Structure formats: C-alpha cells, structure tokens
Amino acid sequence: QVHLVESGGGLVQAGGSLRLSCVASRGTFSLYTMGWFRQAPGKEREFVGQISWTEGRTRYADSVQGRFTVSRDNAKNSVYLQMNNLQPEDTAVYSCATPAAPYTDYVGDFAYWGQGTQVTVSS
C-alpha cells in the first residue's frame, strides 16, 4: 500500500561516487523517518543510514560513516543516499524503507521496503 521506488544504482570503480534516490507514495511523507539498507549475495541485510522527520536527524552504520550521506526533499517525497569513496565491499542491492507509524526512528520499526537498486563497485 506504501510504494517505494529506488533508482540511481550502477557500476562504478573504487573511489568513485553514486547518488541513489527513493520516491515514496505517501502524502504525509514529511512525518516519517526514511532509511537505507543493503544486502550482498550470501549476507544478511544490513542497516546503512536513515534520516528522521526533522530537517533532519541522521544516523549511519560505522562502515559508511564519513563516506555516505542521507538527505531528503519533502516536496518531492524523496530520500537520497550520496555515496562517496565507494569500495568493492559496498557492492550490494540497496533498498529504502520507512516505518508504518510517524514520529519513530528506531531501526526495528521499518515496515515498508522498495525493490532495491544494484550497486556494483569494481577494483
């Protein structure tokens, strides 16, 4: 019922950059935390970063801290993931997510997921 659509993935060399986008169907988009997750083949899905309903408050996994930046544009119902200095270990399918309820920013509350976009980093 809540649709999330990611775009912007592709193939990039180590040290390069990509910017992922996610568009949500919610009319009350600004009230919800938005997050990014990734999953590599044979590995569990892991948290990457998120941005709260504020302008806003962000949180990142240690593995991407200082390299990735989450931002949002509430007028466009969109959230972005700017990825710099990409490394081969960043190769994964990246998905955006959002909780069912507004005004929550706990990782365990994410309930709706997009189909994902592939990011491949070559050496």
Side-chain angles (χ1 to χ4, degrees):
Q1 199 162 359
V2 176
H3 288 173
L4 305 172
V5 181
E6 303 93 340
S7 62
L11 176 65
V12 64
Q13 290 186 312
S17 299
L18 284 173
R19 184 174 184 256
L20 306 183
S21 298
C22 171
V23 180
S25 63
R26 277 179 165 161
T28 53
F29 174 81
S30 64
L31 305 181
Y32 296 84
T33 291
M34 297 294 298
W36 286 97
F37 293 76
R38 67 186 183 186
Q39 187 168 25
K43 298 180 66 177
E44 295 289 320
R45 181 169 60 193
E46 64 175 338
F47 171 78
V48 175
Q50 66 179 48
I51 185 165
S52 76
W53 62 92
T54 66
E55 192 170 305
R57 189 173 185 172
T58 56
R59 183 186 302 158
Y60 300 96
D62 290 343
S63 59
V64 306
Q65 182 73 49
R67 297 189 297 123
F68 291 10
T69 303
V70 179
S71 61
R72 68 191 298 161
D73 186 339
N74 292 328
K76 297 181 178 180
N77 276 31
S78 297
V79 63
Y80 308 97
L81 181 66
Q82 178 66 47
M83 304 183 292
N84 297 326
N85 192 24
L86 284 161
Q87 301 299 312
E89 54 264 37
D90 296 316
T91 295
V93 174
Y94 285 71
S95 302
C96 63
T98 191
Y103 306 120
T104 181
D105 61 355
Y106 289 95
V107 172
D109 288 340
F110 286 106
Y112 299 104
W113 304 83
Q115 290 296 116
T117 184
Q118 177 71 48
V119 172
T120 303
V121 184
S122 65
S123 59

